[in-house]
Amino acid sequence: KESVEKLTSDIYELAGEEFNINSHQQLGKILFEKLKLPAPKKTKTGYSTDVDVLEKLINEHEIIEKILNYRKIAKLNSTYIEGLIPCINKYTHKIHSKFHQTITATGRISSTDPNLQNIPTREEIGKQIRKAFLPEAGNIYIDADYSQIELRVFAHMSGASNLIESFNNNMDIHKKTAMDIYNIKENEVTQKERREA
């Protein structure tokens, strides 16, 4: 909440006035009419201020980065902080998500009411939110997945020798892909390069 308030204050200061940051019309007027940033085509409802438009303007004015951060934090706050409060069971005082194996096309287990699988992990705020979920004393949480099952099936069906060899040697397939793309050794692969690969 404090981060949202600080970003709001910074955005107002950079804009030179207070306005509804969540209103695309008001934000469009501030960015493209008041601050004279390069504008996309104006539609019947005003200027587009979606993420793609804002990311193209990231180097035009420091207000853009603040707005993108504001949106990210406000969404996390409304979805995973304020949004989870109504999900707390009044008898157990815990959140009891529902797990399903028949909803996704891949057969993977999915979580609903609330969906706890979409809490972002790449950013510090997502990691902080995840720390709030603690198992009861004497219990543990486990994390399990199919370990790139689709790629394993693809490797088998296509006979892709480099993939098959990687899986047979228990290599991290994303790291191996990064090694091939960037022509680097395994110990040189960064998290960023692995993610991009």
Side-chain angles (χ1 to χ4, degrees), residues 1-194:
K1 189 177 177 186
E2 287 173 18
S3 296
V4 171
E5 288 170 2
K6 171 79 169 89
L7 284 166
T8 301
S9 170
D10 291 349
I11 290 166
Y12 290 164
E13 188 177 323
L14 290 166
E17 65 179 271
E18 292 189 12
F19 65 100
N20 181 352
I21 302 168
N22 298 314
S23 163
H24 291 287
Q25 282 187 323
Q26 289 182 37
L27 180 59
K29 285 183 180 175
I30 293 289
L31 296 179
F32 306 118
E33 292 177 12
K34 183 171 184 184
L35 298 177
K36 307 282 188 218
L37 298 179
K41 274 191 172 178
K42 194 172 181 183
T43 64
K44 290 177 189 172
T45 55
Y47 300 99
S48 172
T49 59
D50 64 21
V51 174
D52 292 338
V53 169
L54 294 182
E55 284 180 344
K56 288 175 186 165
L57 298 171
I58 197 96
N59 295 320
E60 298 288 333
H61 197 286
E62 70 177 297
I63 196 171
I64 301 297
E65 188 175 356
K66 302 269 186 193
I67 292 164
L68 288 168
N69 285 336
Y70 168 89
R71 284 184 178 173
K72 196 182 305 170
I73 292 170
K75 184 178 189 315
L76 286 171
N77 184 51
S78 67
T79 305
Y80 295 111
I81 298 171
E82 292 170 17
L84 288 177
I85 292 170
C87 297
I88 298 171
N89 183 290
K90 66 181 178 182
Y91 302 108
T92 65
H93 307 289
K94 298 176 184 174
I95 293 173
H96 301 276
S97 183
K98 294 176 185 160
F99 293 91
H100 313 272
Q101 195 172 0
T102 56
I103 290 178
T104 63
T106 61
R108 289 181 175 182
I109 292 174
S110 64
S111 160
T112 61
D113 303 319
N115 180 350
L116 299 177
Q117 293 170 305
N118 286 343
I119 301 171
T121 56
R122 290 184 186 150
E123 290 162 29
E124 190 54 38
I125 190 164
K127 290 176 186 172
Q128 293 300 321
I129 292 170
R130 283 181 176 238
K131 284 182 183 175
F133 294 91
L134 302 170
E136 210 170 58
N139 292 289
I140 60 168
Y141 286 143
I142 63 164
D143 179 14
D145 70 21
Y146 285 109
S147 186
Q148 297 90 35
I149 189 66
E150 297 91 344
L151 286 174
R152 290 173 187 271
V153 171
F154 170 76
H156 173 75
M157 295 186 73
S158 69
S161 58
N162 59 339
L163 281 177
I164 292 169
E165 184 184 340
S166 298
F167 284 126
N168 285 342
N169 291 319
N170 289 322
M171 284 195 77
D172 176 334
I173 199 66
H174 303 307
K175 190 177 266 192
K176 170 69 171 122
T177 305
M179 290 164 58
D180 292 345
I181 288 172
Y182 297 108
N183 194 25
I184 54 179
K185 293 182 180 131
E186 187 173 3
N187 63 351
E188 297 173 333
V189 177
T190 66
Q191 282 295 92
K192 181 177 182 288
E193 288 164 340
R194 181 187 180 276

